[in-house]
Each structure stands twice: as structure tokens, then as C-alpha cells.
Amino acid sequence: MAEEIDDNGFYREDFSAESDWEVFNAQLGDLFQRWELSNENDWGDASFNVNNTKWQIDEEQLEVLGKPMTVKYYKALLEPGTCSKSANVTPQFHQDLMCVKSTLDQPTFLDEKANDVHYLARMYGLRRFVVMHPSQLQNHYLTNTSKFSFFLSSISVVAAEVCSAVPIFLHIHDPKWNFFLGIGMSSYMRTNFHSVALEQAPAEYLYLSGLVKMFKEKLPRNHDKPAVVSVRITYAMDTVKLRVPMYVPFGMTPVVDEERSVIEVSQFTALPHGYFPGSNTTMFATFTWPELMDNMFIDSPLQTQFIPSKAPCGKLYQTVHANSYLTACLKDYYNLITAKNTLESYVGRNFSGATTMAEEGNPLDQLGGKIGSHRPQTKQYADNTQQATSSGGQSKLPGPMKEYELNPMLYYLLPNIKPDLALFLYEMLSKDKIDPHRIKSAESDSLVYRLSCLLATVHAHFGGKSGFAQLYAAFTRELRQLWESCTPIPGVAPGLPDTRTCLLHQKLQMLNVCIEKRLQREKGIAAKTEGGMAMHTVELVTDDDDDDDDEDDDTNEEFYDLTEEDSDDPTEVAKPKEDNSKNPLKAEGRLRRFKNLKLIGSDEYLYVPVTQDLAPKTEDQLQDASDVMLKMGSDSEFITDLMCSTVVSDAEAFKAANPKAGFEDFIRWFSPNDWEEYWNEETQETGHKLSARMQAAGNTWQKVWEQAKPVPAARQKRLFDDTLEGYKILNYLESRNLGEIFGLTIVPLLHSSILKLKDIFANTQVLELFTETLDEILADLSRFSRDIELVEALPSPSSSEAPKINENKYTLQLPNPQPLLKKIEQLERDYYHYKCFECLPGVNGLPKAKLHSKFCEILKNNGHCNIVNAAEDHDGGVVEQVLQSLFIGDMREKLMSKDYVIRLGEGLVADESPKDVEAKDQQQPQAGFSNYLMPQFLRAIVTGEKLRLCGAFTENTTFLD
Amino acid sequence: MLSDKAIKLLVIGESGVGKSSLIRRFVENKFDESHDVTIGMDFKSKVMNIDGVDYKLALWDTAGAERFRSLTPSFYRKALGAILVYDIKSRESLVKLESWFDELENYSDNPNIATIVVGNKIDEERVVSREEGLKFARKHRSLFLETSAKHDKFVADVFRDIVEKIVSSGNFEQFNNGDRIDVRTEDEEAAASSCRC
């Protein structure tokens, strides 16, 4: 109508006279075209389950009369359909209306599900529909009839125009009321969707007889066939509540031991447990009569045949509302992930108790000197423990926790600071225990675990971030104390930093390595001093080859540490030799003879020198080293220098131990494969020579050998400066911000939470129910832990203030832990659910295996299980019988609602014998307009005296009835 | 993005079996009998194109010498594949690969790490038969090849084989995207394709 042909034959386009209605129609038509509402294919499988279908929702805003209108297209995502043949004959929504499964399967009482599945889908079983409503639904809902007809008329015009195969609805009145008007168009039929609600309905309409009567009156023309009725009766059962009081380690322990049956732990974990007081399981039972003829059953105000014991199908629905303190604690902790707050902002500067740089001079100057020349002032441990525990010795760290709260936690973490008060000692940790799931964390109940759990608990229950900061700061302060007193950190796996564990654990391992090295060194010094020797002289092994063999074991290890595999008896202190000054070419730093080999061209034995350990590295340091290599390229001198330091050190030690040795001897020990056998033609015997690569002029090894001076390892510059490394670690730990501490502790925390749950499940004999889930979560955690990346941190502005010992440049980048938290939460909820299930009368006495399989069914089915149907199939069906017996008595009190669905149309098979169906199928292709039974649908929901009706009545638009 | 397609490979094995030579041949196409002995660790990179996709190989050459043994496990981190080299002139070097496999098992953070057993120096008189090498590779569900770095025989195939294996296994995707794969089926495949050439 906007296009007119003017006199000159041109098309003129003039929209100035368009009405609002037309403008809106045009927009709507446009939108529907885009959504391809006319498409009748690919609607998915014939039967779709409203319960567990995912929905795709397209949303668009249109403007009408100056107000925004929202149009939403709901589309169930289904597997490609298998029965497209019949879909061509009738619109899909007709089939949906006629389908018992899709209209009656979804219980209406599960309120929280309403968010997932649209009301319309539940009422009419529709898989696709469009809903239109004013955008600001809360305030501007449609209330007057003229508005309704404005939109409805435009819907019907546009739907017919675009040949929409999808019913279109208008949301009217208060959104809470769920009132919809709608139209579904097809070639010659029009289905009108309507809703009615009555607060107090006439009694006859609360029962099937009255409703059927009403239904028949509404039919557009006389149908001789009886209507098909589906009935579902819902009973609300008593809510099951299990009280599981809160337990908080180091804080709240429930006085009454009520929770015994639910939570029983066999191992102490510093994590809270218990469920919030409001936790419960609500239960509903539904009994269904899927398809009946309208005249087969009696249901009137006077008498009803719809009683549970006669129902062909029954289901028990359970909804759990359970929040656990453990999950709450983890979720709370998760909030720290982005926290940038520094420890200093909570506990003040210098909380660590470390002397400042200014006071001490630059510690870097003192470090890295020759072994033995620098001797850290070691306080006696006894003094130290006094200091640590007496409040006078150390200033109290500011924070919400009192000393009497904080101290037990510290003793829990580090039992050796107060051995007489320690309740929780560490078990011996093994070095090579590999976690079957390969989770990068640490051993269970090790220090890292305890710390992680305790930090989470403190964060949740002892004053949030400031409590968290207080505990962490106190912990690092104790670490520093242990370091200064040279006491190994307890609860850390022995050995070098293990990159299979989490970074925090590696750091602590490293700290222990440093402490051990220092201990050994100082022990050596102490022994030496006792022996009356001067400080820096190194003991010698005389060069007497005629000595007994055992003499060779007589080694001097004072100033070093042997490599792990070599140290047979590191505590052995060599006897001072008396004749050490006899030999002018004195050999120093021998470890043992090397396979009884003798030096080439000499009668002297070849001795393995005592060597320095290779520097152990933690993951971030490794990353640093490889980054440097990547950057510098492999041939750079820097790399060679870096790598050569060990060889230089070894060569020097070797020269010192074997003063008469040559390069060949060195290679024989250091790289035996380069000392090759060959057949000497001249002498007719096998000889040895250096390999080509070792003979090559100017190769690195030769150079190193030539430059090396005989210096025993003990007097060499330390390759691994344990003092510096130790301070680096302490500094690293102390300078983390809250978010970084979170990153360091999240994996052990989650790991121990899972182990704690496992413990609880095992103690209540339900472990097998959850084993699969637990394993799945552990596998997820394993991946999570290995996906943590070390990334180069941007220099933080605060770091420029004071020069710190080795600014750590890597920071942990975490994957999102939310999915894991969700799974743990669900697991805890399921556990509570199971416990409630067990509480049902009569259920507890049943065999566990049967109970478990029934519960598995509940879990699998999203919270519901059959209580009637299964009885015949299963052997005995004990559980079903018990559950059924819950509904034997008078159930009228618990009656919640009745759903009646009355319908008429194609595809209903209630009373047809298979023969009839066949006959009908054959007829169908020829079936003309008049033969098609148009779908008529009425759903009545009776809740007490309230009645809600949702109707969908189809009329023929060509031949009016 | 190139960096997204980075693949870290380790080359391990006893001292003097020709680990560095393999890498040198592959990366620079050079061979030098008297090339310097690797000290500690060495690193080379090369871009390899497979099915039209460029992969940046980071080749970590480890020192075989006993002294550096404690250093190597730390470099196993994030490695997607390992090339285990022995010398066909030395049975001992093959036997010792057993302990290198142990180490991989213990220290690799990637449970699905792809492995290839390589018998090097086929240009020289052999002591270890091909069958022995194959048997060993099958036992460890690994790929297998015999090469000569000196005469440039099958060297590139070593790297191509293992990279193809990594790329096709989905393991690569998993490491880069965090997707899940079934570990067991991977192993079966590895067993089936354990030999080639």
C-alpha cells in the first residue's frame, strides 16, 4: 500500500501514511523471515523430553508506539528428527500438543526448573515458539484488551504472511501470572492459545467430569470421538531435614554429636564441614494415568478413582537444597583469586622479622663468598623456640585473631616449633611417591596441605582477608625463624625440588635443601673446630698408594655435601691425618678410588673428587633458565659459560684430587664413552684413545682442563649459594600478594577437600556411589594443576620502592577453577541428598546395594525415580515396594495439585487397537481437509480450589464451523 | 600464531650416541665428528610444516654424561615428545634407555608423552640388531627408526614421525586447549604404529 504507481509510471514510495500497526507488522515480518519461522523441517525427534532439553533463545527488540517490545524465539536443540514424513502432513506443534510425553512429563512444581524451561513448553509441550512482551515487563505489562488485539491481529497477519510454522505468543498481564495469548497458524487452520485462571472455581470444574464437559462445549464443531484424557496427581511429601551442624577446625566444634551418622572423619583436615541449617530435601510424588478415554474413569466431587495405589505410573521427585560449609569456604576463598592486596597492607611492613637491608648492609655482598668464608650467625634453636612462642620476643602481628587462636594453628603447621604442644605430627613423607592422578600438589596432610586448608578456613571463619594475611604472615615469620635457626621445615617431602609437585611445595623443598646444606656445612665446621684444626684448611688424604683399601673411604666431606647417591655416610667425620704435610704435591678433596683405575703413565690410583652439587632449581627458576636459553640462542657464550661452570668446578676438583692426572684421566672419569677402545695395529693389542670430539683442537673440554687450577670443591666458589637461595625463597613467600597466595594454594586446597570428602564417604560406606564422580573430579584437578602456567609478571609499581633480593619475575596463571568448585558443590549436595533418602521411613533397613542402585537412578534422572513401574521388571523391587508403601494411607491431606490434560486430534492412540492404527495410517495420505482431526487441547491444573486452564483450540479458517 | 603451535621435544640417551649430531643434521644439515660435547643442556629450534601447518619445534638436547643426569628431569616439563637415542654399536646404550624411560615416566608432567626409539650410526658396523631395537620399542609402545646422522639417513623422518604422532594424537590439542582425550586408546594406537621404515 506504500507503493503507488503515479501518473508518470514511476514507483513512488511513501510511508508517511503508515500506521503504527503497519510499521510494527513490517518489522515483525522482517524478523520472522530472518528466523525462518516458516521452516518446517529439522524440528528434531518426534518425542522430546522437556526436562533435559537445551534451549536456544534468540532475542530481538522492536519498537512499537515508542515503547520497546522484546521478541524471543525459543528453540529446543534436539537431535535430527527421524520421522519427517508425518511432519510434512501437519505442523509440528500440533503433534507436540498431542504428545503425552512432552506435555505431562515435566512436573509443574519444580519451581527452580521454571528458569530453564519456559512455561509454555511445560504447559503445551511445545518445542518451538515465539513470545512477545513489552521489554520492561515488570512495570509496563499489557492489561487492556485493545492492546491485546493490536498485537494479536498483527501476529495473525504476520504469521499468515510468513507462513509461520511456529506458534506465536503474547505475554499479557503481570508476568508472575504467566498469562499468554497465542496463535498458531497453518495452511487452513488456526489454533488459538488461551489461558484462564480462577481463584475459586465452581466445584464441578475441579474434577474430570466437569472439565470434559467444558472441553466439549468449546470444540468448534461436534466431534463424535471421545476425548483422550491424561491425568497427573501430585502429592507434596514431608520435607526431609537433616541437621548437620557446622564444624570449624580450631574454632567451632558442635557440642552435640548429632552429625555422627552423616559426617564422620577419620583424618583431621583443617577444613570446615557441615551443612547450613536450612538444608533439606523436598519431595513430591506424582501418579500418572497417561491416556484414558474421557468416559472410563469416575472423577467427580463425590468420588474419584484417581488414587495412588491404582496408578499405572508413579514417580518420586526430590529436590535438594543443601549448602555445605566446606563448599561455602571454598567459594569464599575463590574470591581471592583477583585480590591484589599486599600482605603489608594488613600486617604492616617488616612483619617477617627480617632485619632490613639498611641495618645489615647488603646481604648480597656477604653471600656468595667462598664456602666456609661466610658463616651465617646461627642462633641456637632453643633460644629460638622461646622467642617464637613468648609473646615478648616478637611483636604480635596485627589481625583479627588472638594469640590463643593463632598459636595452635602455627603448631599445627609447624609442630616442631613447640614439640610439647604439637598434636598433629607429620608422618614420614616419602620422596618418590607418585600421585596416581598426577596432580601437581603435594602429599596429603603435608605442610603445603595444612597451610592451604588452614588459610581457606581462616579466610572463611576467622576474619576474612585480614585473618588470612595474619596467618600467612605469621607462617612466613615462623619459616624465617626456622631458617635462621637452621631447623628443617617439617612436613615437606625430602630431596630436591620436585617439579611434579606444586610450586609452593618446591619452594619449601628448596628451602629445606638450603637449610640442610647449611647444617652440613656448619656441622663440618663444628667438627673441625672440635678436632682442633684451623678453620679454613682442608683435610687431606695422603697419597700413599700402599695404604689399605679402606683408607680410600677415608674422605673429607666437611665443607660440602655429597651428591645424594654418593653419600653413604655423610655424618662420618674424618680423622685428622697427622702426616698431611709430608707430600709436597698434596692431593685434596678425594671421595673414593675410581674403579681401581690408575692414572695413565703413573702408578697412582685415579680418585673421584668430591664435587659440588648441581644447583637444584624450582619450576620458576627452570622456566627462567629455559627462557634465557630461548632468548640468547644456543650458541651464545653466555649459555656455554652457564653450563661450563659445573665442568670447571669438577675439573678443578679433579686436579686437586689427582695432582698428577692428565686430560685423558679426567675424561676417563667424567665421560667414559669418550675414552674409546681401538685395535692398535702396531702393538697388536687393544688400546684406548680419546674420541674424535675430545681430540678436536680447542674444544671446550680441553680449554676448561687447561684453565682449571687444582682447587678442591670445598674451597671453590659455591655453584649453589644456599644462603642466597634461602633468602630468595623467604623473600618470595613474604612478598606475595593475596591473589598470588591463592594461586599457590588452590590446588592443594581442592585436592584435600576432595580427599576429605572421600574420607567422609568411606566412613559412611557410600564411597562406591561416588567413586566415579570423585575420580572424575580428581582427573579434572590433575589437568587443572598441570594447566597452571608460569607467566612473566609485569613489574608491579611497588617493586621499585626498595631493591629486594631477586625480584621474582614469574607469576602463576590459573585456569578457571569455577567448574571444579561447581562439581565439588554438586557432589556435596548429592551426598546430603543420599543421606536424606536414607532417612525415608523403611528405607534404611534395605540392603545397601539396592539402595545405591535406586539412588543412582535418582541422580541420573535429575532427581526423580520410578516407584511404581519398575516393580514388575526388577527382581523383587524391594526399594520400590517400600517407597510405594509411603502412599498407602489417605493421601488427600498431601494432595498438591491435579493436572488434567484433555485432548482430541490426530495421533492419539488411547483406545485404538493396533489394527485401527494401521487402517488409519493407510487412510492418511488421502485424507482431505475434512478428515483431519484438528488438535484440541485443554489443560486444567487444579490446586485446591484454584483452577488454571490453558487451552489450545483449533479452527478451520476455510470452512467455518 | 606461530607460538601457539610450538612443540617441545627432548632428545635423551647415553653419552656419545649421537644426540647432538641428529639435531645438528636435522637443523643445520651438518655433521662433524669432532663436534663439541654437550655440556648440560643445549637448545635448537626449527619450523616444520605438516599438512600445511607450521609447527615450531623446540629441540632440547640433553647431555648424556652421568654428571648432568640430575639436571635433565627438570627439563621434562611440558615436553610433548621424547626422542630416545641409542648407538647400534653399543648394546649397553640400548639397555640404558630403560632407565631413561623410567625417568620419563617419573618426571614428565605429560602422561601421554610421545616417544620414539632411535638407533643411530647405521653407517657403522652394528652390534645391536634391528630386531632388538624393534622389540625394545614395542615394549615401550614407542615409535622406532634407525638412522645415520653421518650419512643423513632417516634423520628428518625421526622428527617428522614424532611430530605427526603428536599432532594427530589430539594430545597436542589437549595441551594447548585443555580438551580431554582418552588415554587408553592413545596407547593402543601407539602400539599399533610402533614401527615404520
Side-chain angles (χ1 to χ4, degrees):
Chain A
M1 57 198 76
E3 293 167 358
E4 286 170 17
I5 302 173
D6 88 348
D7 303 339
N8 303 326
F10 287 113
Y11 279 103
R12 276 203 357 237
E13 302 202 335
D14 177 10
F15 300 111
S16 57
E18 293 266 279
S19 69
D20 288 326
W21 188 75
E22 284 166 313
V23 173
F24 180 63
N25 283 1
Q27 290 180 53
L28 207 56
D30 223 36
L31 181 63
F32 288 176
Q33 293 280 10
R34 220 174 331 129
W35 280 345
E36 296 180 339
L37 295 191
S38 58
N39 182 11
E40 292 198 31
N41 300 321
D42 311 328
W43 278 51
D45 214 341
S47 61
F48 92 109
N49 191 344
V50 185
N51 271 327
N52 40 27
T53 305
K54 288 210 165 66
W55 292 83
Q56 179 192 329
I57 303 169
D58 296 327
E59 194 175 330
E60 198 87 13
Q61 283 218 343
L62 300 179
E63 202 169 279
V64 57
L65 301 170
K67 284 192 185 121
M69 244 351 231
T70 302
V71 187
K72 284 184 187 162
Y73 180 23
Y74 289 79
K75 206 166 158 184
L77 299 172
L78 299 167
E79 296 290 307
T82 46
C83 58
S84 50
K85 195 189 93 193
S86 56
N88 290 335
V89 180
T90 58
Q92 179 69 44
F93 75 88
H94 285 192
Q95 292 176 28
D96 282 345
L97 283 173
M98 290 302 114
C99 176
V100 178
K101 201 166 157 42
S102 51
T103 46
L104 215 59
D105 240 26
Q106 172 72 14
T108 39
F109 49 79
L110 298 176
D111 289 338
E112 70 267 34
K113 288 272 193 277
N115 300 325
D116 302 346
V117 184
H118 195 274
Y119 181 81
L120 288 168
R122 287 186 287 136
M123 286 299 120
Y124 296 108
L126 297 173
R127 65 183 70 185
R128 288 187 189 186
F129 51 89
V130 173
V131 182
M132 207 190 289
H133 61 75
S135 295
Q136 292 143 327
L137 195 54
Q138 298 311 318
N139 308 319
H140 298 95
Y141 42 83
L142 304 170
T143 48
N144 70 47
T145 332
S146 69
K147 280 274 174 58
F148 299 168
S149 30
F150 176 93
F151 287 111
L152 276 182
S153 58
S154 95
I155 286 172
S156 63
V157 166
V158 177
E161 209 168 83
V162 301
C163 296
S164 169
V166 180
I168 300 155
F169 289 86
L170 182 67
H171 201 163
I172 55 169
H173 293 301
D174 192 317
K176 283 200 292 274
W177 297 352
N178 277 327
F179 271 114
F180 294 91
L181 294 176
I183 295 170
M185 302 292 284
S186 66
S187 52
Y188 64 96
M189 288 174 279
R190 169 186 163 124
T191 307
N192 295 307
F193 293 87
H194 249 289
S195 1
V196 173
L198 293 173
E199 229 6 71
Q200 208 172 12
E204 56 168 321
Y205 292 126
L206 299 178
Y207 294 91
L208 183 62
S209 47
L211 291 165
V212 169
K213 213 172 113 210
M214 176 167 61
F215 176 73
K216 297 222 158 152
E217 281 164 10
K218 289 287 287 179
L219 295 183
R221 73 174 169 173
N222 278 337
H223 285 49
D224 46 355
K225 287 199 170 188
V228 176
V229 179
S230 313
V231 181
R232 182 179 63 200
I233 300 190
T234 308
Y235 297 97
M237 308 299 292
D238 295 332
T239 301
V240 181
K241 270 196 178 180
L242 267 184
R243 226 179 86 73
V244 190
M246 173 165 80
Y247 162 80
V248 178
F250 299 102
M252 184 97 61
T253 310
V255 189
V256 193
D257 224 349
E258 288 175 81
E259 96 258 43
R260 267 284 130 154
S261 62
V262 180
I263 286 180
E264 197 180 323
V265 287
S266 53
Q267 201 186 21
F268 178 81
T269 313
L271 284 170
H273 61 237
Y275 289 86
F276 282 59
S279 302
N280 64 54
T281 300
T282 48
M283 282 197 294
F284 300 92
T286 64
F287 294 93
T288 324
W289 289 260
E291 290 190 316
L292 304 167
M293 289 295 101
D294 62 8
N295 49 11
M296 273 169 64
F297 265 67
I298 300 168
D299 182 47
S300 69
L302 300 171
Q303 193 194 0
T304 179
Q305 284 182 311
F306 296 124
I307 52 169
S309 51
K310 293 200 174 148
C313 312
K315 276 183 182 173
L316 188 65
Y317 287 83
Q318 308 188 337
T319 328
V320 201
H321 310 272
N323 292 311
S324 124
Y325 288 106
L326 175 57
T327 298
C329 169
L330 297 179
K331 280 175 152 180
D332 206 26
Y333 198 58
Y334 168 73
N335 293 331
L336 285 175
I337 194 167
T338 49
K340 293 271 182 286
N341 321 44
T342 59
L343 282 177
E344 285 177 358
S345 64
Y346 290 98
V347 291
R349 303 194 73 165
N350 292 332
F351 59 85
S352 63
T355 39
T356 59
M357 306 270 179
E359 284 170 54
E360 215 180 66
N362 189 354
L364 283 168
D365 295 341
Q366 302 175 18
L367 307 172
K370 289 191 173 177
I371 297 176
S373 65
H374 170 66
R375 190 181 171 201
Q377 300 292 307
T378 305
K379 291 174 197 156
Q380 282 304 298
Y381 184 58
D383 302 344
N384 194 30
T385 38
Q386 269 179 357
Q387 263 201 5
T389 49
S390 69
S391 52
Q394 274 179 316
S395 60
K396 183 191 171 291
L397 285 167
M401 279 185 286
K402 300 271 181 299
E403 203 103 316
Y404 68 85
E405 287 174 310
L406 188 58
N407 282 341
M409 295 184 187
L410 291 174
Y411 303 153
Y412 167 66
L413 294 175
L414 303 165
N416 58 351
I417 56 174
K418 192 89 177 178
D420 46 326
L421 284 180
L423 294 169
F424 306 96
L425 295 173
Y426 288 103
E427 283 178 27
M428 285 299 286
L429 299 172
S430 60
K431 186 179 170 187
D432 283 317
K433 200 168 151 195
I434 301 171
D435 175 53
H437 291 278
R438 287 179 176 267
I439 297 168
K440 262 172 80 84
S441 57
E443 231 171 284
S444 66
D445 204 39
S446 61
L447 173 57
V448 172
Y449 267 64
R450 293 187 182 185
L451 177 68
S452 309
C453 296
L454 206 50
L455 282 172
T457 302
V458 165
H459 180 252
H461 297 279
F462 293 89
K465 283 183 186 170
S466 47
F468 172 88
Q470 188 189 11
L471 174 66
Y472 186 83
F475 171 71
T476 54
R477 185 152 81 172
E478 292 301 335
L479 275 190
R480 201 171 265 273
Q481 291 280 348
L482 291 173
W483 160 255
E484 311 243 294
S485 68
C486 234
T487 314
I489 317 294
V492 178
L496 304 178
D498 186 345
T499 48
R500 290 167 299 174
T501 62
C502 65
L503 186 60
L504 178 58
H505 185 251
Q506 291 177 39
K507 292 274 176 196
L508 293 173
Q509 279 188 310
M510 185 74 146
L511 191 57
N512 259 355
V513 167
C514 297
I515 290 174
E516 273 158 32
K517 281 194 186 292
R518 219 171 102 187
L519 264 180
Q520 280 173 5
R521 196 170 57 240
E522 282 170 19
K523 204 189 276 168
I525 293 168
K528 196 64 105 185
T529 327
E530 279 162 31
M533 303 278 289
M535 272 300 289
H536 300 307
T537 53
V538 180
E539 196 203 346
L540 309 171
V541 176
T542 44
D543 218 7
D544 304 333
D545 286 336
D546 44 9
D547 270 358
D548 291 329
D549 268 356
D550 57 350
E551 193 79 294
D552 297 323
D553 298 325
D554 193 13
T555 55
N556 48 343
E557 324 169 319
E558 290 85 295
F559 288 167
Y560 359 56
D561 342 287
L562 307 176
T563 47
E564 246 71 31
E565 60 268 28
D566 289 342
S567 59
D568 312 311
D569 188 5
T571 51
E572 180 198 333
V573 177
K575 312 182 285 281
K577 289 273 176 181
E578 281 151 30
D579 53 350
N580 55 3
S581 51
K582 281 180 193 166
N583 203 328
L585 244 183
K586 52 186 181 176
E588 294 176 287
R590 285 177 172 178
L591 182 63
R592 59 180 145 80
R593 272 190 207 160
F594 183 64
K595 298 177 188 163
N596 282 337
L597 288 179
K598 292 198 173 169
L599 296 179
I600 293 167
S602 162
D603 281 343
E604 286 178 29
Y605 284 104
L606 180 62
Y607 283 91
V608 176
V610 177
T611 50
Q612 291 201 49
D613 277 350
L614 291 174
K617 282 192 160 83
T618 53
E619 204 169 308
D620 49 344
Q621 293 170 317
L622 285 172
Q623 175 106 11
D624 194 27
S626 47
D627 279 1
V628 168
M629 281 184 91
L630 288 174
K631 256 180 230 155
M632 310 281 284
S634 57
D635 293 328
S636 73
E637 234 164 79
F638 176 77
I639 301 295
T640 322
D641 284 355
L642 197 80
M643 289 303 178
C644 272
S645 55
T646 315
V647 184
V648 173
S649 151
D650 289 351
E652 290 189 336
F654 187 81
K655 273 192 177 172
N658 304 285
K660 293 177 186 166
F663 179 58
E664 287 83 356
D665 295 312
F666 176 59
I667 295 303
R668 282 164 73 200
W669 164 62
F670 206 84
S671 182
N673 285 353
D674 285 300
W675 185 238
E676 294 175 338
E677 264 184 26
Y678 74 106
W679 181 252
N680 192 326
E681 292 290 335
E682 290 168 26
T683 55
Q684 290 297 302
E685 54 188 15
T686 48
H688 285 86
K689 61 165 189 190
L690 285 175
S691 65
R693 55 183 187 178
M694 285 300 180
Q695 279 177 12
N699 74 62
T700 319
W701 295 63
Q702 274 184 4
K703 269 193 263 169
V704 166
W705 176 255
E706 278 153 23
Q707 285 161 16
K709 295 178 193 72
V711 185
R715 285 210 304 271
Q716 288 170 9
K717 185 173 185 246
R718 275 187 281 176
L719 288 179
F720 174 68
D721 187 333
D722 50 70
T723 321
L724 175 65
E725 289 298 327
Y727 279 119
K728 269 192 204 168
I729 285 162
L730 290 172
N731 188 270
Y732 173 84
L733 295 176
E734 284 157 5
S735 59
R736 296 304 90 193
N737 68 30
L738 267 53
E740 288 167 328
I741 298 170
F742 173 87
L744 286 172
T745 51
I746 181 69
V747 173
L749 171 64
L750 291 176
H751 196 179
S752 42
S753 305
I754 298 165
L755 292 179
K756 173 163 180 153
L757 290 177
K758 208 170 178 174
D759 184 33
I760 292 171
F761 297 165
N763 288 328
T764 45
Q765 282 89 44
V766 295
L767 189 56
E768 54 186 345
L769 255 183
F770 300 107
T771 311
E772 222 171 282
T773 324
L774 281 168
D775 281 347
E776 190 188 313
I777 298 178
L778 284 171
D780 285 354
L781 180 61
S782 167
R783 186 148 357 88
F784 177 86
S785 70
R786 285 186 275 115
D787 283 344
I788 293 177
E789 296 277 352
L790 284 162
V791 291
E792 242 168 280
L794 299 167
S796 62
S798 62
S799 65
S800 55
E801 288 170 22
K804 289 177 182 166
I805 303 176
N806 182 49
E807 196 61 49
N808 195 285
K809 63 184 223 194
Y810 289 98
T811 168
L812 295 172
Q813 194 181 55
L814 304 176
N816 186 6
Q818 285 270 49
L820 265 168
L821 291 176
K822 284 231 170 69
K823 283 193 176 171
I824 294 176
E825 183 178 20
Q826 184 60 42
L827 183 61
E828 285 210 90
R829 199 180 295 134
D830 288 346
Y831 177 67
Y832 185 85
H833 188 174
Y834 177 78
K835 279 290 158 191
C836 290
F837 181 66
E838 258 189 355
C839 285
L840 291 175
V843 166
N844 211 355
L846 295 171
K848 276 268 186 299
K850 294 230 161 108
L851 217 54
H852 284 184
S853 70
K854 196 72 199 168
F855 187 69
C856 282
E857 187 192 330
I858 296 177
L859 285 187
K860 224 180 282 159
N861 290 333
N862 229 340
H864 71 82
C865 63
N866 280 321
I867 51 176
V868 175
N869 249 354
E872 300 104 18
D873 330 335
H874 280 277
D875 54 315
V878 207
V879 184
E880 286 81 359
Q881 277 171 21
V882 168
L883 290 176
Q884 231 178 315
S885 69
L886 295 172
F887 305 97
I888 284 173
D890 187 2
M891 296 294 294
R892 268 176 296 183
E893 291 250 311
K894 290 175 179 160
L895 179 66
M896 196 172 89
S897 70
K898 300 188 284 183
D899 274 47
Y900 297 100
V901 180
I902 308 169
R903 51 187 134 202
L904 229 137
E906 300 287 339
L908 291 171
V909 290
D911 68 335
E912 284 167 322
S913 65
K915 208 170 145 199
D916 288 342
V917 179
E918 254 174 55
K920 217 176 104 191
D921 274 353
Q922 282 162 4
Q923 277 175 16
Q924 202 147 30
Q926 300 99 35
F929 287 176
S930 52
N931 262 357
Y932 181 69
L933 208 50
M934 290 185 294
Q936 314 294 350
F937 177 100
L938 176 71
R939 183 187 204 108
I941 302 166
V942 181
T943 316
E945 291 202 313
K946 281 189 228 168
L947 174 66
R948 171 179 271 272
L949 295 168
C950 301
F953 293 97
T954 313
E955 59 193 16
N956 193 318
T957 48
T958 329
F959 306 103
L960 293 176
D961 294 299
Chain B
M1 284 213 299
L2 209 59
S3 61
D4 283 347
K5 303 282 184 197
I7 294 181
K8 177 173 172 180
L9 295 177
L10 298 168
V11 186
I12 51 184
E14 288 301 297
S15 155
V17 295
K19 296 180 293 299
S20 307
S21 299
L22 277 177
I23 293 180
R24 230 167 111 77
R25 174 60 81 189
F26 176 60
V27 176
E28 297 163 15
N29 201 17
K30 281 182 196 157
F31 181 79
D32 181 2
E33 197 110 28
S34 55
H35 190 255
D36 231 350
V37 180
T38 313
I39 297 172
M41 274 284 163
D42 200 359
F43 164 84
K44 288 210 165 33
S45 68
K46 179 168 170 128
V47 174
M48 183 185 251
N49 186 296
I50 290 191
D51 295 335
V53 184
D54 279 345
Y55 294 95
K56 188 176 177 189
L57 307 189
L59 304 167
W60 290 86
D61 186 10
T62 63
E66 197 70 36
R67 177 65 173 137
F68 299 107
R69 227 16 209 280
S70 64
L71 201 76
T72 38
S74 48
F75 284 88
Y76 289 2
R77 226 171 76 79
K78 304 259 173 210
L80 291 178
I83 299 170
L84 294 101
V85 188
Y86 71 95
D87 176 356
I88 59 152
K89 290 186 305 171
S90 153
R91 180 158 289 111
E92 201 197 348
S93 70
L94 177 63
V95 173
K96 287 262 179 77
L97 279 191
E98 197 79 46
S99 63
W100 285 99
F101 264 113
D102 285 348
E103 227 171 72
L104 263 189
E105 165 72 17
N106 280 338
Y107 291 99
S108 166
D109 58 353
N110 172 8
N112 304 318
I113 190 164
T115 53
I116 182 166
V117 173
V118 176
N120 192 23
K121 305 195 187 174
I122 52 170
D123 47 286
E124 298 191 43
E125 207 176 313
R126 73 161 73 228
V127 174
V128 184
S129 71
R130 186 179 159 75
E131 281 62 44
E132 280 176 83
L134 270 172
K135 221 173 105 190
F136 181 83
R138 174 163 294 141
K139 182 178 159 206
H140 290 279
R141 304 176 152 216
S142 153
L143 304 169
F144 178 75
L145 263 184
E146 288 189 336
T147 61
S148 164
K150 192 173 184 178
H151 293 170
D152 194 9
K153 285 212 173 109
F154 310 114
V155 174
D157 301 72
V158 169
F159 296 92
R160 178 158 292 272
D161 275 12
I162 192 158
V163 172
E164 274 176 353
K165 171 100 188 101
I166 290 166
V167 174
S168 68
S169 69
N171 200 353
F172 178 67
E173 297 299 314
Q174 182 209 0
F175 246 70
N176 286 271
N177 307 331
D179 285 334
R180 286 184 81 161
I181 51 143
D182 189 355
V183 181
R184 246 151 275 142
T185 54
E186 288 302 314
D187 287 347
E188 302 305 330
E189 271 175 40
S193 62
S194 65
C195 51
R196 205 212 100 135
C197 120

